[in-house]
Amino acid sequence: MKDVSQEPLPLLAGRGAESHKGDFGRVLLIGGAPGMAGSIAMSALSCLRSGAGLVTVAAPAASAPVVASFCPVYMTVAIGKAEDFRESLEAATVVAIGPGLGENWDTLLPLVLAANKPTVIDADGLNALARGSMLENVHARCVLTPHPGEYGRLVGDASLAAKATGDDAERVEAAGVLARRSGASGAVLLKGARTVVADGERHAINKTGNPGMATGGSGDVLTGVIAGLMAQGLGPFDAARLGAHVHGVAGDLAAARLGQISMIATDLIDELPHAFQRLDPTPF
Ligand SMILES: NC(=O)C1=CN([C@@H]2O[C@H](COP(=O)(O)OP(=O)(O)OC[C@H]3O[C@@H](n4cnc5c(N)ncnc54)[C@H](O)[C@@H]3O)[C@@H](O)[C@H]2O)[C@@H](O)CC1
Ligand SMILES: Nc1ncnc2c1ncn2[C@@H]1O[C@H](COP(=O)(O)OP(=O)(O)O)[C@@H](O)[C@H]1O
Ligand SMILES: [Mg+2]
């Protein structure tokens, strides 16, 4: 695999004066079961702060009002209302599935994959993929974002799983193997310090970020960022690469302001605007 870490970061196009929200995508984020409503709310807020035009959260009926109460900007729909869910899925230009979804909604992933839209699969979406042995159904518009624990469940092979926590070369190998195994997956983002993004032919290692980001919900933020970038037209590999970079910069800004000990995932969301403003050139 070619190492493209030193190549310039992908860019977001500037916004034309006549732009409207429909130009920046309609994202459907699926997750947030009772007890984990905050996870998908963080993804949705992050997606908005990353520039998505319209964001809707699909959550179980019991938690959808809780998700809605966190923020007035995104919309919510109950997963169990099949007709409403189907309509939201059809209308979406990008889908993200998994944060806080739990184990009771594995039937949604095949529907999402069949819709064949740019898709981020994270957390319980990855666990559903592993439980259902659906790796070969993953398509080229998907980004998989496992941490090493989720990676191990996906590959089901202890020696390969161990590589996911190894040195850079081992982590690159591990990410590349999963990218090649998972249908023609667009990109695999293997989380952790020095996050690896790979698509089977090329890879990049992300250098931003810090151990203060080892706090619950940091990954939920990343899911929203990548989905937001895809909604603005970036392909899976570029969205994963730019997303990891911006997410890490937000983490570094949060650490500078609050310290690695006290920073929490919502602080990353607060720093996303500043992280985007630091992109060179800024996309506006
Ligand atoms: N506020 C919320 O509602 C939150 C909900 N969350 C949800 O909780 C559910 C469970 O996710 P979890 O990720 O906690 O559980 P998992 O059981 O998938 O993973 C946790 C374990 O994975 C391993 N791991 C993770 N990163 C690693 C690394 N860099 N190196 C080595 N090992 C590593 C560790 O052993 C860790 O204890 C998901 O649906 C998730 O989205 C979490 O995102 C936390 C916040
Ligand atoms: N030591 C670290 N250095 C850099 N980034 C880190 C570090 N620890 C965690 N992160 C980042 O934080 C995020 C954690 O994601 P994840 O494990 O899915 O958390 P959660 O599911 O709780 O949201 C990933 O993007 C990961 O790369
Ligand atoms: Mg996670």
Side-chain angles (χ1 to χ4, degrees):
M1 275 192 298
K2 187 179 175 213
D3 182 358
V4 299
S5 306
Q6 304 308 323
E7 292 184 10
L9 284 167
L11 295 175
L12 284 175
R15 297 193 164 201
E18 309 295 324
S19 310
H20 57 84
K21 64 189 173 191
D23 295 331
F24 306 115
R26 218 174 241 278
V27 183
L28 179 67
L29 298 137
I30 306 167
M36 296 186 291
S39 60
I40 205 73
M42 287 190 279
S43 302
L45 257 167
S46 305
C47 190
L48 285 162
R49 287 292 189 198
S50 299
L54 273 168
V55 174
T56 299
V57 172
S63 50
V66 180
V67 175
S69 71
F70 285 126
C71 174
V73 186
Y74 50 70
M75 293 158 278
T76 52
V77 61
I79 292 172
K81 290 192 172 171
E83 190 57 32
D84 293 358
F85 178 77
R86 199 167 29 247
E87 272 176 26
S88 300
L89 183 57
E90 266 169 32
T93 60
V94 171
V95 185
I97 180 165
L101 184 61
E103 296 181 6
N104 296 328
W105 296 99
D106 283 11
T107 50
L108 296 179
L109 186 64
L111 295 180
V112 167
L113 289 174
N116 199 30
K117 310 207 178 204
T119 300
V120 185
I121 309 178
D122 183 34
D124 294 317
L126 296 169
N127 296 333
L129 202 56
R131 278 192 292 268
S133 306
M134 287 184 280
L135 262 188
E136 67 279 7
N137 298 347
V138 169
H139 55 73
R141 304 169 95 186
C142 294
V143 178
L144 312 187
T145 60
H147 61 50
E150 290 154 346
Y151 180 90
R153 285 174 214 137
L154 281 171
V155 296
D157 166 340
S159 70
L160 198 48
K163 291 190 176 175
T165 52
D167 61 20
D168 278 357
E170 289 174 314
R171 282 168 49 79
V172 165
E173 183 191 339
V177 168
L178 180 57
R180 285 187 291 269
R181 270 196 203 172
S182 47
S185 104
V188 167
L189 181 152
L190 180 57
K191 290 172 174 170
R194 300 171 67 79
T195 286
V196 175
V197 179
D199 69 359
E201 288 173 2
R202 52 194 169 147
H203 73 268
I205 296 177
N206 183 62
K207 309 273 169 38
T208 60
N210 64 81
M213 296 167 75
T215 178
S218 292
D220 304 331
V221 171
L222 178 66
T223 296
V225 173
I226 297 173
L229 296 176
M230 290 174 108
Q232 291 164 92
L234 292 192
F237 184 85
D238 285 349
R241 191 175 162 220
L242 183 59
H245 172 84
V246 169
H247 180 248
V249 172
D252 291 340
L253 293 171
R257 187 163 59 86
L258 301 161
Q260 291 185 5
I261 290 171
S262 295
M263 61 188 272
I264 56 175
T266 47
D267 299 322
L268 299 183
I269 307 175
D270 293 342
E271 295 297 349
L272 281 174
H274 307 123
F276 277 106
Q277 285 172 322
R278 283 185 180 220
L279 287 180
D280 183 26
T282 48
F284 51 81

